[in-house]
Amino acid sequence: MVRPAWGRGLVVALTLALAATPRSALARADEPEAPSTSQLVAPQLLTPIAAPYPPGAEGDAVVMLAVSVNAAGAVEDVRVLEGFEPFASVAVESVRGARFVPASRDGKAIAATVRFRVDFTKPPPAPAPPPEPDPTPDPDPEVPADAPAEGAPPPAPRPPPDVVVRGGRAAVGAGVAESLARAEVRQLPGAFGDPFRAIEAMPGMTPVLTGLPYFYVRGAPPGNVGYFFEGVRVPYLFHFGLGPAVIHPALIAKTELHRGGYPAALGRYAGGIVDSQAMPPADRLHGEGQLRLIDAGALIETPFADGKGSALAAARYSYTAALFSLLSSDTTLDYRDYQARVSYALSDRDTLSVLGFGAYDFAAQRQTIDPNQRPIFVDPGASREPRDVTRVLFASEFHRADVRWDRTLARGGRLRAAATLGFDRTRVESHRAATDTMTGARVELTQPLAPSVLLRTGADLVVDRYTADSLPTFSDDDDVVVRQRNIFVERVDFATGARVDTVLTMIPNTEIVPGVRFDVYGSGPARAVAVDPRLTTRFFVSDRLRIIHAYGLASQAPSTPVTLPGITIARLRGGLQRAVQTSAAVEMDLPSDFTATGAVFHNAFYALNDALGTAQVELIDIERSDALLAKSRGSAYGLELGVRRKLSQRVAGLASYTLSRSMRTVDGRAVISAYDRPHVFTAALSFDLGRAWRAGTRFVTYSGIPMSPAAPAFPEQLVGVPPARTPAFVRLDLRIEKRWKVGKTGWISGVLEALNATLSREVTGYSCQTALALPGAAAGQPRCFERVIGPVSVPSLGVEGGF
């Protein structure tokens, strides 16, 4: 690495992805193709290369190049695969004069095309001028201080690094989002290495119940939070209850939480959006495995076709059903998931890939039924002996298959066309099942139009065919069946639309991203149209300080309190839900690699389906279809603070605090949301103890939920008065890990982890007594008793490894 003498330009590391069978060798050779047993060696970089940071640019960036090296080791051609101006042009010019040891097959030099990654990091402020030189003469000015002693062999040349990854704090046009890399997630106590579970540590997340993966995001209920993996919509991120994520952690590169003001590419949800990207295809054989007390999982990936292709498979299986059986438990809990991916480079510009994944959950309880106690609906000829039956509490599954074609365009542009198939199914009470068969197609284009103008646009169509098992009717006017038909109804729904936004950087130290979405919704005969404008601005006040403003309108079809596969509200009853999202945030880089954030937000909700927030249903209750159809208006506003040092460092941590208020207006009456928690605080610390030991702890506390007394049924009735709120909840999570190195690239570790190690119990409400006030009789005030759940605690002891 060489630093230019002109000061401000920070040199960036340019690295070559090297492997014995590199994926980056892109099927270009002057010789006839050798047999599959031939040995292929990638080009070796001879001269160090430095690319200066472009004058006037802002932020960090990554540029991926395709570099054609001839048999003499000279660069013949350089093309941009990924990256934007002005970084792309600087990267190309910096590589043109590079020299290589040429690629070889069976010891003979050949021409090859390889991929380079160039990382740009914004330079720090200019250093202070150096002190005056010491007038004392150097005892030997001709010999550097670190030169080898006389007669000693010269030091071996330092090989170029295989990969250098430098992650910017925010990609160009990223909007307002919080993200966690996988290395950080692994060290977060109580997350069990799952990126999806780690998002609860971010500001703006208000839990419904400790440990459960359901959150209010800036006042928006859980059913208004969207989940995407690689651009594909998924119904939920976790297995039932306190289970792990439905995607293997080793497959997830980054998880972003968009709390509002997100890019135009994300939409059709009126709350937050969780968007995860997969690890790119690897150019070498690698794998990971995990064995815990309750489940086991593994992932393996290998390249093929001389590195042009890659195949991956991953799965997780829970043996909790067998454990419960050994313990003679009446409860059955089972879950499993799978992921598979195959990608193949058709050319140096075109890649075809197939991604498939799915998950299954089952929870049931064995009960004894005595027909003698329920004689009304018993067949007269049936046995009158008691018998055991299995009551299904929850059973669901979903599957996705996504086929995509990616093409690299000129100047770093990218075109993607994809088709998706999906199948969702949820079984609920009375042996009924709701099913959704989904088909979809989308096209996405990202193209720089000028050094300071980046266009991002796309269009998509999603068609959902819903079928369901109906309730049996006991009479012609059974009102329960009539209400259920509002949800369990066979129909075809669709959503189609187009979106566009533009990243503008022509104003110095400023990034402006205007955008808009056009969506059309259909459910049976009903139709609705939404036009959602978005605007994000980012001001680079200094090298360490950034100010971000985000404004947007978000629309969503009617939804249930939490997302369940195959279940949604039919015929757009009550119209689209809409949210007006506004926020202003500050990001600051602090000494010792700390980053601090602060934000204020205000969201306004219209025609909202929030049966939880209006205290009309429990968490998962689809029997109350009348309550699910109820609409309300609302608002949420608050302050979010965060400070963070990467959890992968020797001593690291994070802290987040959210101060908020969430309101609902029902039938013209304004009330505090049933899950309004004014204070939510999380703090985590991770310590490298040495000798490959690492320990961490996380402290979580949040306010209780509001309570209100029930109205007397008649004037003489006395009803107990509960406290204004349930007590605050506090828990402590713990994690300790010991790692051993195995060979050159392998590792194995033992992990002991616990969510809610303090065995804290959470108060979810109050049950209040009633009394009758008789004339002339003394009556005491009825009492209220806490309804307590838990302790909800998840201990985990396991072994992890990889190579």
Side-chain angles (χ1 to χ4, degrees):
M1 184 178 293
V2 179
R3 294 186 181 274
W6 38 272
R8 175 176 169 84
L10 174 71
V11 178
V12 297
L14 177 133
T15 58
L16 171 63
L18 302 174
T21 56
R23 180 176 178 270
S24 55
L26 300 178
R28 182 187 185 280
D30 296 335
E31 302 290 337
E33 185 171 351
S36 60
T37 57
S38 63
Q39 183 179 10
L40 179 65
V41 179
Q44 304 289 323
L45 184 63
L46 281 176
T47 56
I49 299 175
Y53 191 87
E58 292 293 341
D60 300 344
V62 175
V63 178
M64 189 69 72
L65 305 173
V67 182
S68 298
V69 181
N70 62 23
V75 175
E76 285 191 342
D77 184 41
V78 182
R79 287 177 292 100
V80 177
L81 299 178
E82 298 177 14
F84 312 115
E85 298 293 351
F87 301 100
S89 299
V90 174
V92 169
E93 292 302 320
S94 301
V95 174
R96 289 194 186 278
R99 294 291 299 177
F100 294 83
V101 175
S104 63
R105 178 180 283 122
D106 295 330
K108 187 173 182 179
I110 62 171
T113 300
V114 294
R115 294 191 180 190
F116 272 83
R117 175 185 171 119
V118 184
D119 297 81
F120 291 87
T121 303
K122 185 172 177 61
E132 294 294 330
D134 189 346
T136 305
D138 193 320
D140 190 356
E142 300 297 328
V143 181
D146 57 351
E150 185 175 354
R158 181 177 300 174
D162 288 342
V163 178
V164 174
V165 180
R166 304 177 190 269
R169 290 181 181 81
V172 174
V176 182
E178 291 274 353
S179 65
L180 284 174
R182 192 188 171 221
E184 298 179 88
V185 171
R186 278 187 50 84
Q187 305 303 330
L188 184 64
F192 304 105
D194 286 335
F196 296 149
R197 191 170 288 281
I199 63 175
E200 69 171 325
M202 298 180 182
M205 304 293 288
T206 301
V208 172
L209 188 67
T210 183
L212 294 186
Y214 302 118
F215 303 93
Y216 276 77
V217 180
R218 289 185 174 175
N224 292 65
V225 180
Y227 306 118
F228 292 87
F229 177 62
E230 279 292 290
V232 179
R233 185 192 72 195
V234 294
Y236 55 82
L237 298 181
F238 299 90
H239 289 289
F240 180 75
L242 298 173
V246 297
I247 305 294
H248 196 285
L251 182 56
I252 301 174
K254 184 174 66 172
T255 300
E256 291 184 331
L257 169 64
H258 298 267
R259 292 164 296 190
Y262 25 80
L266 303 174
R268 297 180 187 151
Y269 286 92
I273 289 181
V274 179
D275 184 28
S276 289
Q277 294 86 43
M279 297 289 288
D283 58 1
R284 61 182 177 86
L285 174 67
H286 74 101
E288 287 193 23
Q290 184 183 62
L291 180 64
R292 301 189 298 186
L293 292 177
I294 58 174
D295 59 22
L299 177 146
I300 189 168
E301 184 175 20
T302 180
F304 63 88
D306 287 336
K308 291 191 293 183
S310 174
L312 176 146
R316 189 199 314 264
Y317 177 75
S318 168
Y319 30 81
T320 49
L323 291 177
F324 286 163
S325 177
L326 292 175
L327 297 174
S328 300
S329 173
D330 291 334
T331 301
T332 299
L333 180 64
D334 188 19
Y335 60 81
R336 50 187 176 266
D337 57 67
Y338 67 90
Q339 301 88 43
R341 181 181 67 188
V342 177
S343 64
Y344 186 81
L346 302 174
S347 69
D348 56 358
R349 290 181 176 269
D350 300 276
T351 301
L352 183 66
S353 58
V354 179
L355 172 66
F357 58 95
Y360 171 82
D361 289 86
F362 180 81
Q365 193 171 42
R366 188 170 62 248
Q367 295 179 332
T368 300
I369 302 297
D370 187 353
N372 298 305
Q373 297 180 1
R374 301 181 62 186
I376 298 177
F377 302 111
V378 175
D379 185 352
S383 171
R384 312 291 292 184
E385 295 295 326
R387 66 184 187 277
D388 290 339
V389 297
T390 298
R391 178 191 176 195
V392 176
L393 303 176
F394 181 80
S396 73
E397 61 183 308
F398 74 86
H399 307 272
R400 296 289 186 271
D402 191 59
V403 182
R404 61 187 67 182
W405 166 61
D406 291 291
R407 179 171 178 80
T408 301
L409 306 176
R411 303 178 65 181
R414 183 179 65 86
L415 174 66
R416 167 174 288 181
T420 306
L421 297 176
F423 177 83
D424 296 358
R425 184 178 177 87
T426 294
R427 181 179 175 184
V428 292
E429 288 280 7
S430 304
H431 303 284
R432 290 171 294 140
T435 302
D436 172 24
T437 302
M438 181 188 74
T439 56
R442 66 188 186 278
V443 60
E444 303 167 357
L445 172 66
T446 301
Q447 180 63 53
L449 303 181
S452 58
V453 180
L454 173 66
L455 175 68
R456 303 183 301 193
T457 185
D460 74 317
L461 168 67
V462 179
V463 179
D464 295 276
R465 179 174 179 80
Y466 292 96
T467 59
D469 302 327
S470 300
L471 270 173
T473 58
F474 297 104
S475 63
D476 294 337
D477 58 348
D478 192 328
D479 60 337
V480 175
V481 175
V482 173
R483 291 198 305 267
Q484 289 294 324
R485 286 173 181 168
N486 291 325
I487 295 179
F488 293 94
V489 59
E490 294 191 5
R491 67 191 187 279
V492 174
D493 290 1
F494 72 87
T496 184
R499 46 87 177 178
V500 61
D501 65 11
T502 307
V503 183
L504 307 174
T505 57
M506 66 276 294
I507 302 176
N509 301 320
T510 303
E511 177 185 279
I512 304 174
V513 187
V516 65
R517 286 188 62 92
F518 301 91
D519 288 298
V520 178
Y521 300 83
S523 180
R527 300 289 184 269
V529 178
V531 180
D532 297 342
R534 311 277 171 82
L535 176 63
T536 302
T537 58
R538 188 184 301 267
F539 304 97
F540 298 87
V541 180
S542 68
D543 292 332
R544 293 181 175 271
L545 179 63
R546 298 165 295 280
I547 298 177
I548 304 103
H549 290 265
Y551 311 91
L553 179 64
S555 302
Q556 180 181 353
S559 60
T560 53
V562 296
T563 304
L564 296 173
I567 295 178
T568 188
I569 296 176
R571 302 190 181 98
L572 301 177
R573 288 294 189 95
L576 297 180
Q577 305 175 85
R578 300 186 189 272
V580 179
Q581 304 170 335
T582 61
S583 65
V586 176
E587 296 177 349
M588 179 178 294
D589 299 331
L590 303 176
S592 301
D593 205 24
F594 280 91
T595 301
T597 60
V600 292
F601 69 89
H602 180 273
N603 290 348
F605 305 103
Y606 302 92
L608 191 64
N609 291 100
D610 186 16
L612 285 177
T614 53
Q616 299 185 62
V617 300
E618 299 294 332
L619 183 60
I620 301 178
D621 182 5
I622 60 172
E623 302 297 324
R624 292 283 314 280
S625 59
D626 53 339
L628 299 184
L629 295 175
K631 293 286 189 176
S632 64
R633 291 186 294 110
S635 64
Y637 54 91
L639 168 70
E640 300 166 347
L641 301 175
V643 62
R644 179 168 146 196
R645 193 183 192 205
K646 286 189 177 180
L647 290 171
S648 55
Q649 297 199 13
R650 185 177 181 88
V651 178
L654 62 83
S656 66
Y657 171 69
T658 303
L659 172 66
S660 64
R661 172 52 50 91
S662 183
M663 302 292 296
R664 295 290 182 266
T665 301
V666 183
D667 297 330
R669 185 170 59 95
V671 297
I672 298 176
S673 170
Y675 283 91
D676 172 77
R677 300 188 189 272
H679 307 281
V680 180
F681 177 75
T682 298
L685 285 175
S686 179
F687 308 92
D688 185 345
L689 304 178
R691 297 184 178 273
W693 283 91
R694 193 171 189 103
T697 182
R698 175 168 56 160
F699 173 81
V700 178
T701 183
Y702 48 79
S703 305
I705 56 177
M707 292 283 105
S708 58
F714 47 89
E716 294 79 12
Q717 187 181 46
L718 299 177
V719 181
V721 179
R725 284 186 178 271
T726 58
F729 176 78
V730 178
R731 83 165 196 252
L732 196 68
D733 305 335
L734 299 175
R735 184 181 192 275
I736 187 167
E737 176 185 8
K738 167 64 175 177
R739 176 173 289 210
W740 295 269
K741 187 176 180 181
V742 180
K744 293 184 178 180
T745 61
W747 58 274
I748 188 171
S749 64
V751 180
L752 175 62
E753 192 165 5
L755 182 146
N756 192 13
T758 49
L759 301 180
S760 302
R761 305 176 72 189
E762 186 168 1
V763 178
T764 61
Y766 292 90
S767 297
C768 295
Q769 296 175 331
T770 60
L772 185 62
L774 299 177
Q781 180 66 30
R783 300 174 59 188
C784 293
F785 300 91
E786 293 179 344
R787 293 200 304 266
V788 179
I789 189 171
V792 178
S793 180
V794 182
S796 175
L797 176 63
V799 178
E800 302 175 0
F803 64 92

